Amino acid sequence: QKEVEQDPGPLSVPEGAIVSLNCTYSNSAFQYFMWYRQYSRKGPELLMYTYSSGNKEDGRFTAQVDKSSKYISLFIRDSQPSDSATYLCAMQGAQKLVFGQGTRLTINP
Amino acid sequence: EAGVVQSPRYKIIEKKQPVAFWCNPISGHNTLYWYRQNLGQGPELLIRYENEEAVDDSQLPKDRFSAERLKGVDSTLKIQPAELGDSAVYLCASSSLAGTRNEQFFGPGTRLTVL
């Protein structure tokens, strides 16, 4: 079993829809939880960063962490075609970053 | 501020040939990472440097992979000889120990194709 599980998709939604992306993890030592966005032929870029259970909002993006269930989510409101990318969840513990498989998201105009 | 620079961006070689990738981290970042990203997968750590010291190379296939970070700045990752299964994107990232967030900044990667 992988330490971090993420549905690879692909996920295709119409412009303006609310998108929900999820990851589960098995290692209780993970302390920090991140979402990276990766455009085609580019490196990942940090989108959201959280370290506690609960919600964190940044513009149209909301990151949610539930440590008791070992489950994290990323919500995108009012999705735009420019949000089309691969979204990678990542967990950090002991200075080691472990990534999920990534979910390929397409927002259709 | 310039980001992480990697070269070459693309490399096509035949199996059993050697190949090298170069990374220049963000100025002032003392931690440097090399990741491998297979198609449709997330990045997986190969090696982490703190300045010039390799502090985590447990996932580096040492029979064919080697890395160095002379003077604690630029780094080179080498594969010799390359195998078909080495086809992947090799990502370099850097971070600063300053602050608690330890955000990693990634370069665009080198896409390796082994024929």
Side-chain angles (χ1 to χ4, degrees), chain A residues 2 8 32 34 36 38 40-49 56 86 88 92 94-102 104, chain B residues 9-10 33 35 37 39-45 48 50 56 58-59 91 97 100-109 111:
Chain A
K2 292 183 179 180
Y32 304 97
M34 285 149 272
Y36 280 79
Q38 186 173 25
S40 179
R41 310 281 177 173
K42 303 286 187 183
E45 57 176 342
L46 184 64
L47 192 60
M48 297 288 285
Y49 179 100
K56 181 177 181 180
T86 295
L88 298 150
Q92 184 165 338
Q95 294 189 308
K96 186 170 182 177
L97 201 58
V98 180
F99 285 87
Q101 187 174 354
R104 180 183 290 183
Chain B
R9 291 294 315 277
Y10 303 92
Y33 312 79
Y35 288 86
Q37 185 173 25
L39 186 65
Q41 301 294 318
E44 293 179 323
L45 181 69
R48 174 169 65 94
E50 297 289 351
D56 184 357
S58 58
Q59 300 304 310
L91 293 162
L97 287 176
T100 59
R101 201 158 108 153
N102 194 31
E103 177 179 351
Q104 295 185 26
F105 295 84
F106 285 82
R111 183 175 297 268

Side-chain angles (χ1 to χ4, degrees), chain B residues 56-68:
Chain B
D56 184 357
D57 63 355
S58 58
Q59 300 304 310
L60 190 71
K62 298 180 183 63
D63 57 336
R64 297 183 300 106
F65 286 66
S66 64
E68 62 182 11

Side-chain angles (χ1 to χ4, degrees), chain B:
Chain B
E1 178 183 271
V4 176
V5 179
Q6 290 188 248
S7 69
R9 291 294 315 277
Y10 303 92
K11 190 73 177 180
I12 300 174
I13 61 172
E14 294 191 345
K15 63 181 180 182
K16 300 184 181 179
Q17 294 299 305
V19 64
F21 314 124
W22 176 80
C23 173
N24 181 241
I26 292 172
S27 178
H29 282 192
N30 50 349
T31 307
L32 184 146
Y33 312 79
W34 282 102
Y35 288 86
R36 176 168 59 189
Q37 185 173 25
N38 292 313
L39 186 65
Q41 301 294 318
E44 293 179 323
L45 181 69
L46 291 173
I47 189 168
R48 174 169 65 94
Y49 281 93
E50 297 289 351
N51 299 306
E52 63 274 7
E53 182 182 358
V55 295
D56 184 357
D57 63 355
S58 58
Q59 300 304 310
L60 190 71
K62 298 180 183 63
D63 57 336
R64 297 183 300 106
F65 286 66
S66 64
E68 62 182 11
R69 192 185 183 196
L70 301 176
K71 301 181 181 179
V73 182
D74 295 3
S75 177
T76 302
L77 178 69
K78 297 179 181 178
I79 307 175
Q80 183 171 11
E83 297 179 352
L84 294 176
D86 296 331
S87 294
V89 175
Y90 291 83
L91 293 162
C92 178
S94 69
S95 67
S96 171
L97 287 176
T100 59
R101 201 158 108 153
N102 194 31
E103 177 179 351
Q104 295 185 26
F105 295 84
F106 285 82
T110 296
R111 183 175 297 268
L112 174 67
T113 301
V114 182
L115 302 176

